[in-house]
Amino acid sequence: MMYDIEVKVSLKPGMLNPEATTIQRSLALLGYEVKGTKTKEIITFVLEADSEDDAREKVDDMCQKLLCNPIIHNYTINIIKMDLSCGCGCE
Amino acid sequence: MMYDIEVKVSLKPGMLNPEATTIQRSLALLGYEVKGTKTKEIITFVLEADSEDDAREKVDDMCQKLLCNPIIHNYTINIIKMDLSCGCGCE
């Protein structure tokens, strides 16, 4: 089975986010007063796995080992089963 | 009115994404074969505006001037009206 994976990585509450601070300050210089600016990163890819549970386990491993720093990041995983049928009902 | 704004910034199709390439190669080195890796950035903030249309116009301006490079990036804007009522029906 092929699965569309989306991993959303954000900083844990309380962590400093200099990128967001800079964006907010720059927007203020342009005349736009905004509050509570935050940034997140999304990583998407296609993964082959036996089941959704198997896919989630693999992606969780990837997050712990490479995609996130579990000390400073929170992450959420979205898994969508790809529809590869041709629409004629043959599958 | 206060609005929760979410801007999603991604590279236009055909643009090279070295970050995604590196992630995919590193995952392969760890034994995870994935395909079609892409990265996006989300910027969220709170904005005061007269109406949803006014908010959208302002955020579109911000995207054109600061948040995105319109030559290489696509962006989508999500606007959610913040519910600041206390729930008692006084508003």
Side-chain angles (χ1 to χ4, degrees):
Chain A
M1 296 278 193
M2 303 298 277
Y3 293 90
D4 260 327
I5 311 288
E6 185 187 83
V7 179
K8 207 179 270 188
V9 182
S10 59
L11 282 167
K12 285 188 175 169
M15 299 302 303
L16 291 178
N17 187 342
E19 186 185 14
T21 312
T22 307
I23 289 172
Q24 186 160 322
R25 202 178 301 145
S26 306
L27 284 175
L29 289 173
L30 289 174
Y32 300 109
E33 291 295 337
V34 303
K35 291 178 197 161
T37 308
K38 289 178 191 161
T39 59
K40 293 179 189 177
E41 196 182 14
I42 297 181
I43 304 159
T44 59
F45 50 85
V46 175
L47 173 73
E48 189 164 3
D50 298 332
S51 67
E52 196 171 318
D53 285 346
D54 182 39
R56 190 170 295 277
E57 198 178 309
K58 281 184 181 173
V59 178
D60 200 64
D61 250 24
M62 294 179 203
C63 288
Q64 296 282 340
K65 287 183 186 166
L66 181 81
L67 302 180
C68 312
N69 177 350
I71 297 171
I72 61 167
H73 291 137
N74 282 332
Y75 59 89
T76 55
I77 300 169
N78 286 327
I79 298 180
I80 302 159
K81 191 175 157 187
M82 286 177 82
D83 185 4
L84 296 176
S85 69
C86 61
C88 74
C90 61
E91 280 199 325
Chain B
M1 296 279 193
M2 303 298 277
Y3 292 90
D4 260 326
I5 310 289
E6 185 186 84
V7 179
K8 207 178 270 188
V9 182
S10 58
L11 281 167
K12 286 188 174 168
M15 299 301 302
L16 290 178
N17 187 343
E19 186 185 14
T21 311
T22 307
I23 288 171
Q24 187 159 321
R25 203 178 300 145
S26 306
L27 285 175
L29 289 173
L30 289 174
Y32 300 109
E33 290 296 337
V34 304
K35 290 178 199 163
T37 308
K38 289 178 192 161
T39 60
K40 293 179 189 177
E41 196 182 14
I42 297 181
I43 304 160
T44 58
F45 51 85
V46 175
L47 174 72
E48 189 163 3
D50 298 332
S51 67
E52 196 171 318
D53 285 347
D54 181 39
R56 189 170 295 277
E57 198 177 309
K58 280 184 180 174
V59 177
D60 200 64
D61 251 23
M62 294 178 203
C63 288
Q64 296 282 339
K65 286 183 186 166
L66 181 82
L67 302 179
C68 312
N69 177 348
I71 297 172
I72 62 168
H73 290 137
N74 282 332
Y75 59 89
T76 56
I77 300 168
N78 286 328
I79 299 180
I80 302 160
K81 190 175 158 187
M82 286 177 82
D83 185 4
L84 297 175
S85 69
C86 60
C88 74
C90 61
E91 280 200 324

